[in-house]
Amino acid sequence: QNETSVTEFILLGFSSNPVLRLCLFGIFSVLYSATLMGNALVFVLICLDYRLHSPMYFFLCHLSIVDICYASNNVPHMLRNLLGQGRTISFAGCGTQIHLYLIFALTECVLLAAMSYDRYVAICHPLRYALIMNRRVCLTLAAVSWAFGFLFGTLQASLALHLPFCGPCEVDHFFCEILAVLKLACTDTTANKVLIFAVCVCFLLFPLALILISYLHILATILRIRSVAGWHKTFSTCGSHLAVVGLFYGNAIFMYMGPGSGNSSGREKVLSLFYSLVSPSLNPLIYSLRNKQVKEALLKLQRRKRVFHS
């Protein structure tokens, strides 16, 4: 009887200190700009240069799309919040943030596992690489990543948003993160938390196990390589992927499956920043822009631009 219809939420965000908020606005604006420009550049280079039309860069293209969408879902509202202009968000807007956040996060989980399989085939079965990683297989893996992300993200978001909310309507976060919103529900949320844990097992532990198995096989193959140049090339390629995997899965497991997950708002905000800003801004540098083929494609694009302007 005491329940009232909640039509909007208030995002508490970060510190109330105006100087600190202004500093954070500057830092986050730079990271967000780097995320957009870096991932957009990778996407354009892969689309324009036929030498990058391979399975590895096909998956990198999808990763760039996920990172741009992921950051754009949360960061613009966070920046307005830091300027004191966007603390409130409608119930529909909050639901949209939760839904998209889950879709892109779960899609990236499966996508990173698909990328590890691609590296496994490339290094352990190089002579059969073109046959195994054909166009149909690549399209299927990408479609499965997006489909699983959409289906399970929609399921979790729907169950969370059908809960009764009766106030207070203050979300102790910089966006509508699902654990932070569940704290405001006026009913028992055990079933929702059990579902989140189950989805984490399927989308975090299972893909991570597949990635580790792939890299154990890759390591065994590397140890049989006698060429120093071969060692360097293999470690350079796989090291980039492992760095992204460690950053992404490590933060996710610690946030959603670690002891006391969902209880520390400060920890949730810091870890969410890795997903929303740090990881998407670093992915182009770690994965692509330090790659020799991508650098050559970038130089080719610059030369083409000079010829066009002249």
Side-chain angles (χ1 to χ4, degrees):
Q1 294 179 351
N2 293 328
E3 292 180 8
T4 57
S5 177
V6 174
T7 59
E8 65 179 20
F9 292 99
I10 299 173
L11 300 174
L12 297 182
F14 297 95
S15 172
S16 58
N17 187 316
V19 177
L20 179 59
R21 289 164 69 93
L22 193 60
C23 292
L24 291 176
F25 174 83
I27 295 171
F28 296 159
S29 296
V30 171
L31 288 174
Y32 182 53
S33 299
T35 296
L36 296 182
M37 291 188 293
N39 285 287
L41 179 60
V42 169
F43 179 84
V44 170
L45 289 176
I46 292 174
C47 291
L48 293 180
D49 198 312
Y50 71 93
R51 294 174 300 177
L52 302 181
H53 292 177
S54 65
M56 181 178 76
Y57 294 107
F58 171 78
F59 291 121
L60 281 176
C61 198
H62 281 268
L63 184 64
S64 294
I65 295 172
V66 170
D67 285 340
I68 290 174
C69 296
Y70 195 86
S72 299
N73 179 45
N74 306 331
V75 177
H77 202 284
M78 177 186 69
L79 295 177
R80 290 197 299 270
N81 190 326
L82 288 171
L83 292 178
Q85 299 176 355
R87 295 190 65 196
T88 61
I89 183 171
S90 66
F91 186 87
C94 187
T96 301
Q97 275 197 346
I98 293 175
H99 191 195
L100 295 178
Y101 167 79
L102 292 171
I103 288 175
F104 298 133
L106 297 178
T107 299
E108 186 160 350
C109 288
V110 184
L111 196 59
L112 289 174
M115 293 172 74
S116 72
Y117 176 70
D118 171 70
R119 291 300 84 208
Y120 159 74
V121 176
I123 295 170
C124 299
H125 305 282
L127 299 180
R128 299 168 55 201
Y129 179 69
L131 180 64
I132 297 174
M133 296 302 296
N134 56 58
R135 181 179 179 83
R136 182 178 179 181
V137 170
C138 292
L139 289 174
T140 300
L141 290 173
V144 166
S145 300
W146 285 100
F148 276 24
F150 178 80
L151 289 175
F152 285 91
T154 301
L155 174 63
Q156 284 197 80
S158 299
L159 292 177
L161 295 173
H162 278 86
L163 294 173
F165 295 92
C166 53
C169 55
E170 293 182 341
V171 180
D172 192 7
H173 215 290
F174 61 84
F175 77 104
C176 285
E177 196 273 330
I178 187 167
L179 292 179
V181 174
L182 285 179
K183 295 176 184 178
L184 306 181
C186 302
T187 186
D188 183 29
T189 58
T190 302
N192 298 82
K193 292 178 181 178
V194 169
L195 176 62
I196 291 173
F197 187 84
V199 169
C200 285
V201 171
C202 296
F203 282 83
L204 291 176
L205 296 186
F206 183 64
L208 183 59
L210 293 178
I211 292 171
L212 293 177
I213 292 171
S214 297
Y215 275 98
L216 284 175
H217 286 284
I218 289 172
L219 180 61
T221 303
I222 290 174
L223 293 176
R224 293 195 293 267
I225 297 176
R226 298 182 181 277
S227 168
V228 176
W231 271 63
H232 177 75
K233 181 179 179 180
T234 306
F235 272 119
S236 176
T237 303
C238 297
S240 300
H241 185 255
L242 279 176
V244 175
V245 166
L247 187 66
F248 184 85
Y249 284 95
N251 286 329
I253 292 173
F254 187 70
M255 181 173 178
Y256 289 102
M257 304 185 72
S261 58
N263 295 327
S264 174
S265 60
R267 183 181 70 175
E268 289 177 13
K269 292 177 187 178
V270 173
L271 293 177
S272 295
L273 281 175
F274 276 93
Y275 289 109
S276 302
L277 278 174
V278 179
S279 182
S281 64
L282 290 179
N283 280 352
L285 295 174
I286 294 174
Y287 255 130
S288 304
L289 298 181
R290 58 188 290 271
N291 184 287
K292 182 180 178 181
Q293 288 180 299
V294 176
K295 288 179 180 178
E296 291 175 353
L298 181 59
L299 291 174
K300 182 180 178 181
L301 181 64
Q302 289 176 335
R303 287 195 295 267
R304 187 185 303 175
K305 185 178 179 181
R306 292 196 197 99
V307 171
F308 177 79
H309 284 294
S310 61

